[in-house]
Amino acid sequence: MRQVAWAAAMLLAACYPGGAETVTDLDSVTTQHDRSASFSTLRTYALPDSIQQVSAQGGQALPMDHSYDTQILAKVASNLDALGLQRVDPTATTPDADVLVTFTATRYVDYASYSFYDMWPGWGGFSGYDGSWGVYYPWATSAAYVSVLDAGSLRIDMLDTRTANPSTKQLTAIWNASVDGVLSGSLDSIAKRIEKGIDQAFAQSPYL
Amino acid sequence: MRATRTFLFLGILASSTAFAQSNFRISYEFAVPMGATKDYIDRFSSRGAHLDASFELSYAFHLELSAGLNSFNAVKQGVLTTTDGQDVYGKQFRYLNVIPLMGGFAWHIPTGRGGRIWAGINGGAAYFERVVDLGLNEYSQSDWQWGIQPHIGIAFPLDRGTALFFDGRWNYFWERHGIPAQQYFSFGVGLLFSGSSRK
């Protein structure tokens, strides 16, 4: 009976599926939109010539490389043009929508304590200790296990200038896209993944 | 009060007439998703287990209690629409864990020397845990769903009181709280441990 239970447990453990295996497996594109917005009546848009960096909460901001800004903005513009929208100079013509592109690069550091004794129970090196003991790291603020993750997001916001509300001083964001992923690999490969993500953001927004 | 009487009645039945042909079954299970379950995870599952207890109430007529776990997983590239209206694209690592807890009745026909064939139907509920890992986020939706579980099986005697058995179950769970009806077919192989056999 015990052997059967062991065999079943081993089979279950052996077959337990893994998750992401490469950095690109963690890439994702999220879009949201205002369901009451009138996308079909949009005719013109304005797009700044730069990408601005925004700080994310809960992490440490990483420096941003702007060498691919032009390429990324061109990709956003080409997708908007493909929708039939016309890019205008906002100093000369009031656009129906302002499209803003921002980037966030953040390092998340997670401090997690762990019980070493429970992980190697009965090991001779821990004789005299038990689960009530912890590990002290003199260089850390507390007994901690540290993991680091660098994550980045390119965000596109479409603001409807036609419904600007002077009394509340608010512009309504009618569409938002976020291209998210782990910052790993060469700048060139990251830029390609971002461009692919921008195309996907428009592809999965058929209402635009 | 009526429920108490029913339990007492079943208890008396179980303690007196029964248990002569009672048996316990433990099995390793495979499962094939169907219907909406297949829409979510279109992949054969080779991870599952079931524990069944069968109490003879009268000749060949058994009360069945069943608990199990069926785990499905699949990878799908596509757009996931979340309950708060987000459309999220990426590689989706989809998981479905089903824990059915059932009770019912079955007819067991002895085939001699501890072997038997049986057929029956269970009813009860299952806890469905759906998890999608996408990007750096995890999305989940879990709930209980009521369902039925018709099942058949055949056991071949190995030695005194032990038999090797094969069984099959169709698991169907009704729509609940907006989650569509779920179904899958599972089949297992396992060991049956029985009490004294009736001649």
Side-chain angles (χ1 to χ4, degrees):
Chain A
M1 184 67 179
R2 182 178 288 179
Q3 288 167 334
V4 173
W6 263 111
M10 291 301 287
L11 276 168
L12 283 169
C15 300
Y16 206 82
E21 293 175 350
T22 65
V23 170
T24 55
D25 285 348
L26 295 172
D27 287 348
S28 65
V29 178
T30 304
T31 52
Q32 299 171 92
H33 69 285
D34 178 3
R35 293 176 193 283
S36 64
S38 174
F39 291 102
S40 61
T41 55
L42 283 174
R43 295 286 178 269
T44 57
Y45 73 95
L47 177 70
D49 291 327
S50 62
I51 298 175
Q52 295 300 319
Q53 187 164 11
V54 175
S55 299
Q57 289 183 339
Q60 169 193 344
L62 295 172
M64 181 184 166
D65 188 306
H66 288 274
S67 52
Y68 287 88
D69 282 16
T70 307
Q71 193 175 321
I72 290 168
L73 287 168
K75 178 60 80 175
V76 174
S78 69
N79 274 283
L80 289 166
D81 294 346
L83 294 172
L85 302 180
Q86 184 187 355
R87 186 174 183 178
V88 297
D89 177 358
T91 59
T93 310
T94 303
D96 292 338
D98 283 336
V99 178
L100 308 177
V101 182
T102 54
F103 190 77
T104 302
T106 311
R107 170 163 293 174
Y108 296 97
V109 182
D110 185 34
Y111 297 94
S113 60
Y114 71 98
S115 175
F116 63 92
Y117 183 84
D118 292 339
M119 292 181 173
W120 292 276
W123 182 49
F126 294 153
S127 60
Y129 313 118
D130 60 25
S132 63
W133 286 65
V135 177
Y136 167 60
Y137 297 89
W139 54 87
T141 53
S142 61
Y145 178 84
V146 183
S147 61
V148 177
L149 175 72
D150 291 342
S153 295
L154 181 94
R155 187 173 161 140
I156 308 168
D157 282 309
M158 183 182 286
L159 312 179
D160 193 340
T161 59
R162 301 169 301 174
T163 57
N165 189 333
S167 61
T168 58
K169 295 188 173 179
Q170 276 190 331
L171 286 166
T172 301
I174 54 174
W175 181 72
N176 163 261
S178 184
V179 180
D180 306 309
V182 175
L183 294 174
S184 180
S186 66
L187 275 175
D188 190 49
S189 74
I190 291 174
K192 281 189 174 126
R193 282 159 58 199
I194 289 174
E195 286 188 77
K196 193 176 164 191
I198 292 168
D199 285 341
Q200 175 59 38
F202 284 92
Q204 70 188 47
S205 307
Y207 41 81
L208 285 176
Chain B
M1 192 63 188
R2 178 177 287 179
T4 309
R5 281 184 192 151
T6 306
F7 272 111
L8 279 174
F9 174 70
L10 287 175
I12 291 164
L13 264 179
S15 60
S16 57
T17 60
F19 293 156
Q21 274 281 32
S22 299
N23 64 77
F24 294 89
R25 307 188 296 271
I26 183 168
S27 60
Y28 191 85
E29 282 219 339
F30 304 86
V32 181
M34 304 159 73
T37 308
K38 187 180 179 184
D39 293 341
Y40 175 65
I41 286 190
D42 185 10
R43 187 159 177 253
F44 175 81
S45 162
S46 59
R47 295 176 299 126
H50 250 90
L51 182 64
D52 294 271
S54 181
F55 306 103
E56 185 178 46
L57 300 179
S58 62
Y59 180 70
F61 187 63
H62 285 231
L63 169 69
E64 300 272 328
L65 299 175
S66 174
L69 167 68
N70 294 104
S71 290
F72 300 84
N73 76 286
V75 179
K76 185 178 178 181
Q77 188 92 21
V79 177
L80 175 78
T81 300
T82 64
T83 50
D84 58 358
Q86 292 185 343
D87 294 317
V88 190
Y89 173 86
K91 193 177 249 187
Q92 301 173 21
F93 296 90
R94 296 185 170 193
Y95 305 97
L96 173 65
N97 294 311
V98 187
I99 303 171
L101 300 173
M102 297 278 184
F105 300 96
W107 284 265
H108 287 237
I109 303 169
T111 56
R113 296 196 307 169
R116 67 180 66 207
I117 58 174
W118 68 88
I121 185 165
N122 292 334
Y127 186 70
F128 282 78
E129 180 192 48
R130 299 166 190 79
V131 176
V132 179
D133 285 338
L134 204 174
L136 298 172
N137 297 310
E138 179 181 287
Y139 304 88
S140 65
Q141 186 180 44
S142 302
D143 208 343
W144 288 91
Q145 287 180 249
W146 300 105
I148 55 169
Q149 185 187 68
H151 60 105
I152 56 170
I154 183 167
F156 303 97
L158 291 176
D159 58 21
R160 189 183 179 90
T162 308
L164 174 71
F165 77 89
F166 300 90
D167 70 354
R169 310 165 199 253
W170 177 55
N171 302 269
Y172 183 88
F173 300 89
W174 285 282
E175 176 184 353
R176 185 162 184 255
H177 294 161
I179 300 172
Q182 304 288 317
Q183 57 176 317
Y184 60 93
F185 179 75
S186 59
F187 52 98
V189 55
L191 290 176
L192 179 151
F193 305 94
S194 60
S196 60
S197 60
R198 182 178 293 192
K199 301 290 181 188

